[in-house]
Amino acid sequence: MTPAVRVPEELSARVPVEQRGPGLDRDSVRMLVSRGAGVAHHTFTELPRLLRAGDLLVVNTSATLAAAVDGRIGHARVVVHFSTSGDDGRWAVELREPDGRGTTRARAAGPAGTEVCLPEGVRLVLEEPLSGRSGRLWWARVSGPGVLGLLRGYGRPIRYSYTERDQPLSVYQTVFALPSADGAGSAEMPSAARPFTAGLVAELVGRGVRFAPVTLHTGVASAEAHEPPYPERFAVPGASARLINAAKAGAGRVLAVGTTAVRAVESAAGADGVVRPRAGWTSLVVTPERGVRVVDGLLTGLHEPQASHLLMLEAIAGRATVERGYEAALQGRYLWHEFGDVHLVLPGQSRDRPLTQSIAQATASETGTRPM
């Protein structure tokens, strides 16, 4: 597996690009482009000229929640990061300690029965670890008003120590974010889509690039722990499944905007490569051994990668391409993390795809595990 990348502190993007100088917008970030053995340097505004008519961008519509809330355990101050809502009314949470600089540091969670006092008299009680692999995230039950109301009234976006200051929630919303009917959303921004602006989307559409919306609500990914991804809620609607299958059957390329979009669409793909409308929970971890059945390329942020992130990149592009890309990003002084620059991984060569009987049948029938 590709070794973990050590990123110099000065390459962490401390504020959003639009706050770094006059005349800058979200799409002012740099974009590294990897295609087979080649690496090129661009700005994100050049994306429409790098794609072609018939290409399909799969985008995550999950909205970011103000998921960090201050609380107390006895007299000790803590910060609760609300990660994921369960089907039984509980929430997966991470407890952290204030670090005195406006951000937080990791703390030991548990034991079961630990009670956290939150605003408005709300009580949160830890019940059990989310996974036997780690005690970082716990299932917890909350008394009193609903959690989503608590987040709206007292929450703020999750912020890590490499950022300079708190930002309003609007800074963490992508142009594709849509409110969910039940108020659910992502604990952390699906950041690969952050550089898109309405104007850039309009230019892409004008050039014949299409968009397939999917939803995957991302949980908390702590800066200290690089664990495999936990189960997350996702949905691939029927219209998007049709668009993806049509692109796969023709000459278009299916390009995922972010690893969350990869996880969603690959979770809806059968062994035959056909995408069917599905919704629920996914535990899928994309690895080179499993491979990808649908995605041809990926637009992703630059992060100090977890093992699972690297495995997904290798599954899409191959180890050599990933290593060359990260080396070029470091040499080129690209900026890392959610406010940083981006990496576009394109297939090394186009390939013709015949319209298979299975794809035609799937597009006509649109069967799935849960109708959309």
Side-chain angles (χ1 to χ4, degrees), residues 97-108:
E97 295 177 347
D99 62 4
R101 301 190 301 271
T103 53
T104 61
R105 56 176 170 257
R107 74 180 297 279

Side-chain angles (χ1 to χ4, degrees), residues 81-258:
H81 287 177
F82 285 88
S83 181
T84 305
S85 60
D87 293 332
D88 58 359
R90 298 186 299 175
W91 277 76
V93 301
E94 179 186 24
L95 301 188
R96 296 177 67 88
E97 295 177 347
D99 62 4
R101 301 190 301 271
T103 53
T104 61
R105 56 176 170 257
R107 74 180 297 279
T114 297
E115 183 176 280
V116 183
C117 298
L118 298 173
E120 299 289 342
V122 175
R123 295 287 188 271
L124 180 149
V125 179
L126 300 183
E127 293 191 350
E128 60 181 334
L130 182 65
S131 166
R133 299 172 304 198
S134 166
R136 182 174 65 89
L137 292 175
W138 281 64
W139 284 115
R141 201 168 292 279
V142 179
S143 65
V147 169
L148 295 174
L150 182 72
L151 300 186
R152 285 191 293 269
Y154 298 93
R156 61 184 179 277
I158 289 174
R159 174 190 160 205
Y160 292 118
S161 59
Y162 50 76
T163 57
E164 186 173 287
R165 57 180 177 268
D166 285 341
Q167 299 283 350
L169 184 60
S170 59
V171 167
Y172 291 87
Q173 302 294 8
T174 74
V175 71
F176 305 112
L178 296 173
S180 173
D182 60 0
S186 289
E188 297 184 8
M189 172 177 57
S191 57
R194 190 181 190 278
F196 284 90
T197 62
L200 189 70
V201 170
E203 184 179 353
L204 286 163
V205 171
R207 289 174 175 262
V209 176
R210 295 171 296 171
F211 291 82
V214 299
T215 301
L216 187 135
H217 296 312
T218 65
V220 170
S222 135
E224 299 84 14
H226 299 319
E227 303 149 346
Y230 292 94
E232 293 169 315
R233 293 179 182 272
F234 83 105
V236 176
S240 293
R242 285 196 300 273
L243 285 169
I244 295 167
N245 290 330
K248 295 295 288 183
R253 299 172 296 184
V254 177
L255 307 174
V257 178

Side-chain angles (χ1 to χ4, degrees), residues 12-71:
S12 293
R14 297 177 61 78
V15 296
V17 61
E18 63 271 22
Q19 297 178 15
R20 295 177 205 153
L24 298 178
D25 204 344
R26 289 184 175 213
D27 57 9
S28 300
V29 297
R30 300 168 68 196
M31 181 170 64
L32 183 74
V33 178
S34 294
R35 190 198 309 259
V39 178
H41 303 277
H42 295 269
T43 62
F44 192 73
T45 54
E46 297 176 86
L47 180 65
R49 293 186 289 279
L50 294 170
L51 303 184
R52 61 193 187 211
D55 283 344
L56 182 70
L57 293 176
V58 181
V59 296
N60 187 0
T61 63
S62 179
T64 308
L65 300 175
V69 179
D70 292 324

